Amino acid sequence: MPTLYLLPVTMSDASPRHVLPAYNLEVASRLRHFIVENVRTARRFLKRCDPGCDIDSITFYELNNHIPADAIPSYLAPMERGEDMGVMSEAGCPAVADPGAQVVGLAQRKGYKVVPLVGPSSILLSLMASGFNGQGFAFNGYLPIETADRDKAIRNLEATSRRTGLTQIFIETPYRNDRLLERLLHILQPSTMLCIGRDITSPEGERIESRPVSVWRKNPPELGKVPVIFLIHCY
Amino acid sequence: MPTLYLLPVTMSDASPRHVLPAYNLEVASRLRHFIVENVRTARRFLKRCDPGCDIDSITFYELNNHIPADAIPSYLAPMERGEDMGVMSEAGCPAVADPGAQVVGLAQRKGYKVVPLVGPSSILLSLMASGFNGQGFAFNGYLPIETADRDKAIRNLEATSRRTGLTQIFIETPYRNDRLLERLLHILQPSTMLCIGRDITSPEGERIESRPVSVWRKNPPELGKVPVIFLIHCY
């Protein structure tokens, strides 16, 4: 029975040994077929994990949002011939917030074995470090872009956290980080806890800080364009 | 500035090199103060990571649900003296579904640096392998024990997944796995997707399988007493 391995990759400027188990590199080095979000970054990642790897013997199948849904089944053709495959995202864990989930869903329908490997996830790492409720949480992806919709989404997340106790997690495209933070500090209640996780896993740049909104307001950070994840929790 | 490291530990029968980056073992080997859920398993884990480690030079502070909340501040006393500390759970990632979140919250209030390290999480690994929506998901912890309450909670999770599109994740105490599965297959709609993740990270025992409820009903598995995580998703 062929296996579909889900292989996390590094994020930020972290080295593979910083964020990936040795076992992952063993698995990666024996696979010859990878479904990837971006071929160039996938090649670079494999070379970094194993500078001696024979990259030309590897076949890459690029899967991103531009690929039509009816082309997905062809991606698993090597598995139909009995070969193991790997799925890699651009950064972090595949199939969590990227198109990889579609091929995983297909592999599940076909009854193939699916094996996820351990790796960095800014969702999980920021949740651990926030000190917020980890017994219950929700990841909501991106908030709406339009201001009125986004403001409403922020109010809804705060209300949901107050009602359910679930920590609410969301992200933003880096160039909109500062605008989102400004709205968060404007809209959220002073006592609501806000955790800002910056450049997760970066040896130098990582900062994960939880403060009440009232404290953030006195000294709002400039986030700039690093990857940021936001968590809110009401007690 | 002292740092509080959040150190994941192995789950199931996986070896450290299978699920933990080499960097974690370096960090673990230089810490002398650990807040742990269970001292015995923490000692055994550190010995397994580094058979040569001087376990007697390490101080353990046991933190579990029996510890009164007002005792928590004393746990960070070594950090007040400028020393780094580590937090370890019994299994998997600390501070996600265990009392470690309380000391993390305190370290955040005191302005200490909090650094989460990468490790295995059955929530994240099962989500990756499910093929379900990873752009939005909620972890709900344990369902209620009493049958009527639990049945209602199952209906609510299914309705929430249908309304919001968020994958709904939950766990059960192992000896109640089979009873919960029986209720799930009874209550959920035939077309609802159910992923059952068994013994995550176990080299031999791991199985993560997504099927429509109608398919599971024809051939319900016997889960027994291994750790299981459940995910539901409605299209």
Side-chain angles (χ1 to χ4, degrees):
Chain A
M1 165 87 75
T3 299
L4 185 65
Y5 288 97
L6 310 182
L7 287 157
V9 300
T10 50
M11 312 191 300
S12 74
D13 51 348
S15 67
R17 65 189 307 285
H18 195 104
V19 292
L20 299 174
Y23 174 71
N24 293 25
L25 310 187
E26 286 166 30
V27 171
S29 71
R30 62 177 180 72
L31 295 175
R32 285 293 155 267
H33 299 272
F34 287 96
I35 297 163
V36 302
E37 222 180 331
N38 180 305
V39 174
R40 227 164 54 126
T41 54
R43 280 171 175 270
R44 203 182 302 142
F45 170 74
L46 290 174
K47 271 282 180 199
R48 201 172 167 206
C49 289
D50 175 12
C53 85
D54 178 14
I55 209 95
D56 296 327
S57 71
I58 297 169
T59 312
F60 294 96
Y61 308 80
E62 198 163 71
L63 176 64
N64 52 46
N65 288 324
H66 309 297
I67 306 291
D70 59 5
I72 303 287
S74 69
Y75 280 78
L76 295 183
M79 295 190 79
E80 314 237 329
R81 302 193 302 266
E83 301 205 62
D84 291 348
M85 294 188 79
V87 180
M88 293 195 291
S89 173
E90 276 246 43
C93 292
V96 169
D98 67 48
Q102 296 177 58
V103 283
V104 176
L106 182 65
Q108 287 281 5
R109 283 196 293 283
K110 289 188 174 272
Y112 294 142
K113 195 171 169 189
V114 178
V115 175
L117 301 187
V118 172
S121 155
S122 53
I123 301 168
L124 190 79
L125 292 166
S126 63
L127 179 70
M128 287 162 67
S130 67
F132 295 171
N133 180 15
Q135 313 261 12
F137 62 92
F139 175 66
N140 302 278
Y142 293 92
L143 301 194
I145 293 172
E146 206 272 304
T147 307
D149 293 343
R150 192 181 47 200
D151 287 2
K152 197 179 150 198
I154 293 169
R155 281 190 194 93
N156 281 344
L157 291 175
E158 186 177 46
T160 304
S161 174
R162 181 164 299 121
R163 196 181 66 244
T164 63
L166 267 62
T167 299
Q168 298 293 324
I169 309 175
F170 48 98
I171 49 178
E172 183 49 288
T173 313
Y175 73 91
R176 288 199 205 99
N177 281 336
D178 283 296
R179 223 179 326 157
L180 175 58
L181 178 60
E182 190 263 315
R183 293 313 294 164
L184 287 169
L185 297 186
H186 184 74
I187 292 170
L188 296 172
Q189 296 298 312
S191 63
T192 294
M193 293 297 295
L194 172 67
C195 177
I196 303 177
R198 284 178 257 188
D199 216 0
I200 308 271
T201 74
S202 164
E204 297 299 324
E206 180 184 271
R207 290 178 77 173
I208 310 174
E209 296 166 317
S210 298
R211 310 278 181 263
V213 165
S214 58
V215 172
W216 283 121
R217 275 183 190 156
K218 285 180 204 151
N219 207 356
E222 273 208 38
L223 301 176
K225 288 173 186 155
V226 297
V228 174
I229 188 161
F230 299 90
L231 301 87
I232 62 177
H233 184 52
C234 303
Y235 285 95
Chain B
M1 163 87 74
T3 299
L4 184 65
Y5 288 97
L6 310 182
L7 288 156
V9 300
T10 50
M11 312 191 301
S12 72
D13 52 348
S15 66
R17 66 187 306 285
H18 195 104
V19 293
L20 299 174
Y23 175 71
N24 293 26
L25 310 186
E26 288 167 29
V27 171
S29 70
R30 62 178 179 71
L31 294 175
R32 284 293 156 266
H33 299 272
F34 287 95
I35 297 163
V36 301
E37 221 180 333
N38 180 305
V39 173
R40 229 163 53 127
T41 54
R43 280 171 175 270
R44 202 182 304 143
F45 171 73
L46 290 175
K47 272 283 182 198
R48 200 172 168 206
C49 288
D50 175 12
C53 86
D54 178 13
I55 208 93
D56 295 328
S57 70
I58 296 170
T59 312
F60 294 96
Y61 308 80
E62 198 163 72
L63 176 64
N64 52 46
N65 288 322
H66 308 297
I67 306 291
D70 60 4
I72 303 286
S74 68
Y75 279 78
L76 295 183
M79 295 192 79
E80 315 236 329
R81 302 192 304 266
E83 301 205 61
D84 291 347
M85 294 188 79
V87 180
M88 291 195 293
S89 173
E90 276 246 40
C93 293
V96 169
D98 67 49
Q102 296 177 59
V103 285
V104 176
L106 183 66
Q108 286 281 7
R109 284 195 292 284
K110 290 189 173 271
Y112 294 141
K113 195 170 170 188
V114 178
V115 174
L117 301 188
V118 172
S121 154
S122 53
I123 301 168
L124 191 79
L125 292 166
S126 63
L127 179 70
M128 287 163 68
S130 68
F132 294 171
N133 181 14
Q135 313 260 10
F137 61 92
F139 174 66
N140 302 279
Y142 293 91
L143 301 193
I145 294 171
E146 207 271 305
T147 307
D149 294 343
R150 193 182 46 198
D151 287 1
K152 196 178 152 199
I154 292 169
R155 281 189 194 93
N156 281 343
L157 291 175
E158 186 178 44
T160 304
S161 175
R162 182 165 297 123
R163 197 181 65 244
T164 64
L166 268 61
T167 299
Q168 299 292 325
I169 310 174
F170 49 98
I171 47 178
E172 184 49 286
T173 315
Y175 73 89
R176 287 199 206 99
N177 282 336
D178 283 297
R179 224 179 326 159
L180 175 59
L181 178 61
E182 189 264 315
R183 293 314 294 165
L184 287 169
L185 297 187
H186 185 74
I187 292 171
L188 295 172
Q189 296 297 311
S191 64
T192 293
M193 293 296 297
L194 171 67
C195 178
I196 303 177
R198 286 178 257 187
D199 216 359
I200 309 269
T201 75
S202 164
E204 297 299 325
E206 180 183 274
R207 287 178 78 172
I208 310 173
E209 296 165 317
S210 298
R211 308 280 181 264
V213 166
S214 58
V215 172
W216 282 122
R217 275 184 192 156
K218 284 180 207 151
N219 206 355
E222 272 208 39
L223 301 176
K225 287 173 185 155
V226 297
V228 174
I229 187 161
F230 299 89
L231 300 87
I232 62 176
H233 183 51
C234 302
Y235 287 93

